[in-house]
Amino acid sequence: MSVIKISKENFASEVLNSNKPVLLDFYADWCGPCRMVGPIVSEIANERNDVKVGKINVDEQPELAAQFQVMSIPMLAVIKNGKLKNQVVGYRKKEQIEAML
């Protein structure tokens, strides 16, 4: 499964109403650590069918960034059954990200 670009328009259908856990990557194009996490997040999306993976550009989606109180990026969040279950800020290795799920 590929990474889904999440916006306020598709947030409810793709994240809140998902029947799978959702890993969200809050990022910005100018963020160096975000560019390091991005390929790892994409790899997880391609390898695992039991989770949905979405990316949220904080510059393009300030309402979603505010909703999750994003103060620093990259920020990874895991949503299960419409509720925030896990959240970390900063670069993480693949094993650490998968452990969140």
Side-chain angles (χ1 to χ4, degrees):
M1 191 176 226
S2 60
V3 175
I4 301 162
K5 187 171 182 170
I6 302 294
S7 66
K8 63 183 179 184
E9 289 78 21
N10 69 357
F11 182 77
S13 64
E14 293 290 355
V15 179
L16 297 180
N17 299 328
S18 175
N19 57 355
K20 299 178 182 179
V22 182
L23 172 65
L24 294 176
D25 175 15
F26 289 85
Y27 76 100
D29 293 331
W30 49 263
C31 165
C34 298
R35 289 196 296 268
M36 293 166 57
V37 169
I40 297 169
V41 168
S42 295
E43 200 173 297
I44 291 170
N46 290 330
E47 290 175 359
R48 296 188 56 166
N49 292 322
D50 60 327
V51 295
K52 189 183 279 192
V53 179
K55 291 180 72 76
I56 299 174
N57 185 317
V58 296
D59 291 332
E60 294 173 3
Q61 301 297 324
E63 297 92 345
L64 289 177
Q67 183 179 329
F68 282 86
Q69 300 175 339
V70 177
M71 298 293 164
S72 194
I73 51 174
M75 187 186 95
L76 300 171
V78 176
I79 312 295
K80 289 183 183 174
N81 301 319
K83 297 187 178 10
L84 180 65
K85 294 296 180 189
N86 215 333
Q87 183 175 318
V88 295
V89 174
Y91 174 79
R92 294 290 188 276
K93 294 179 183 170
K94 183 178 179 184
E95 300 79 36
Q96 294 169 305
I97 297 171
E98 287 186 315
M100 293 173 58
L101 300 167

